[in-house]
């Protein structure tokens, strides 16, 4: 079967942009840099991706898929979904603490309306499954409203500039607030958070971000095409 030239070009643009993001940071990456790397005109880049944020959408969608895969893998290892979600936020916060490139990527993802929409929509679907036992009778609208609050808590945890508040304190407070929003009982909240904090979350943050970059790098052209279709839905 002949390859779709448009998909091939889009894939090449995203691959190049991703490499530049991992090297320079999302904030310092530009579509002009991508054009120069590919020996294309900036206009050709913006034809496919009008703004930098449109490129970021591809990575954020990949991040959501990667996180769902992690939760599924952890479930097979006997880790509950609630604990897995706690570990997810811990790993992101820890990566932001130790890696400026990671922090720039995650913070940019929460600041862009385009990518924040992807995060909230994906997390809403996931939360319906993870917290279904504590949110019986909730409507789709209530889950969506909850994720607006949760994404704000996550953003505040990731971007904190207050050096007087330790990473552990920020994580503890954020996880407690998020689990309260979803009606998780106090005793269970304490158990899950204590268990999460017992992990070497600094090492986990470094490892997970490394694995995410590898996951993106291995995305095939066929998988990429499906990813584009999902974003358009």
């Amino acid at each position: 079967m002949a390859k779709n030239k448009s998909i091939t070009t889009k894939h090449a643009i995203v691959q190049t942009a991703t490499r530049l993001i991992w090297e320079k940071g999302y904030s310092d990456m530009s579509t002009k840099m991508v054009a120069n790397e590919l020996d294309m005109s900036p206009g050709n880049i913006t034809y496919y991706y009008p703004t930098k944020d449109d490129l970021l959408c591809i990575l954020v969608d990949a991040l959501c898929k990667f996180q769902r895969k992690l939760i599924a893998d952890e479930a097979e290892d006997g880790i509950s979904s609630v604990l897995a979600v706690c570990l997810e936020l811990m790993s992101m916060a820890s990566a932001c603490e130790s890696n400026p490139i990671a922090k720039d990527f995650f913070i940019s993802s929460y600041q862009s309306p385009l990518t924040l929409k992807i995060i909230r929509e994906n997390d809403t679907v996931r939360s319906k499954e993870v917290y279904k036992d504590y949110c019986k009778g909730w409507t789709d609208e209530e889950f969506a409203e909850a994720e607006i609050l949760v994404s704000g808590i996550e953003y505040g945890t990731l971007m904190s500039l207050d050096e007087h508040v330790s990473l552990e304190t920020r994580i503890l407070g954020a996880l407690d607030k998020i689990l309260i929003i979803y009606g998780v009982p106090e005793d269970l909240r304490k158990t899950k958070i204590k268990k999460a904090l017992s992990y070497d979350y600094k090492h986990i943050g470094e490892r997970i971000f490394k694995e995410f970059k590898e996951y993106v790098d291995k995305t095939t052209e066929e998988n990429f095409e499906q990813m584009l279709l999902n974003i358009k839905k």
Side-chain angles (χ1 to χ4, degrees):
M1 183 182 293
K3 288 187 176 182
N4 184 314
K5 185 177 179 181
S6 174
I7 294 297
T8 300
T9 302
K10 287 181 176 181
H11 191 223
I13 291 171
V14 169
Q15 284 183 315
T16 301
T18 299
R19 176 172 57 78
L20 290 171
I21 289 171
W22 299 153
E23 290 175 359
K24 302 177 182 296
Y26 176 74
S27 296
D28 290 334
M29 185 276 289
S30 69
T31 53
K32 184 177 180 180
M33 288 180 187
V34 178
N36 290 339
E37 290 280 329
L38 292 172
D39 196 24
M40 297 171 64
S41 72
N44 282 340
I45 302 296
T46 55
Y47 172 78
Y48 292 106
Y49 299 101
T51 68
K52 276 177 58 174
D53 283 3
D54 289 292
L55 284 166
L56 185 60
C57 282
I58 304 298
L59 279 182
V60 170
D61 187 69
L63 175 65
C64 292
K65 288 180 171 59
F66 175 73
Q67 290 173 332
R68 286 201 297 271
K69 179 181 180 300
L70 280 183
I71 289 178
D73 291 345
E74 287 166 344
E76 290 185 2
D77 291 336
I79 297 176
S80 72
S81 296
V82 173
L83 179 56
V85 171
C86 292
L87 291 172
E88 176 188 298
L89 177 57
M90 287 172 55
S91 68
M92 289 195 298
S94 179
C96 287
E97 189 88 349
S98 61
N99 187 330
I101 296 293
K103 183 169 185 175
D104 185 51
F105 168 69
F106 286 121
I107 293 300
S108 298
S109 299
Y110 279 84
Q111 288 178 334
S112 163
L114 287 177
T115 50
L116 181 57
K117 182 174 183 288
I118 292 174
I119 291 170
R120 285 176 174 169
E121 288 179 348
N122 276 274
D123 286 359
T124 296
V125 172
R126 183 185 65 184
S127 294
K128 290 178 184 178
E129 179 62 28
V130 173
Y131 301 111
K132 60 185 178 183
D133 292 337
Y134 315 109
C135 303
K136 293 178 179 178
W138 276 35
T139 64
D140 289 348
E141 184 178 48
E142 285 173 311
F143 275 105
E145 288 174 349
E147 273 308 316
I148 292 174
L149 297 175
V150 170
S151 62
I153 294 170
E154 292 171 341
Y155 175 64
T157 304
L158 300 179
M159 74 163 294
S160 176
L161 300 176
D162 191 339
E163 297 178 356
H164 300 293
V165 181
S166 69
L167 176 61
E168 181 173 327
T169 298
R170 297 204 315 270
I171 290 173
L172 192 156
L175 293 179
D176 191 52
K177 290 180 177 65
I178 291 170
L179 297 184
I180 286 174
I181 287 173
Y182 284 109
V184 178
E186 182 179 3
D187 57 340
L188 186 57
R189 291 201 311 271
K190 290 181 177 179
T191 299
K192 296 298 182 183
I193 294 172
K194 182 179 180 180
K195 179 66 176 176
L197 290 174
S198 72
Y199 285 82
D200 183 357
Y201 51 85
K202 292 184 179 180
H203 174 71
I204 291 174
E206 294 172 0
R207 176 177 61 81
I208 295 299
F209 188 62
K210 179 176 180 291
E211 289 178 0
F212 169 60
K213 292 195 293 182
E214 292 171 351
Y215 173 83
V216 173
D217 290 341
K218 291 177 181 176
T219 300
T220 65
E221 195 168 302
E222 290 75 16
N223 291 340
F224 176 73
E225 184 173 9
Q226 184 58 52
M227 192 182 298
L228 290 178
L229 291 173
N230 290 338
I231 291 175
K232 289 177 181 178
K233 289 181 181 179

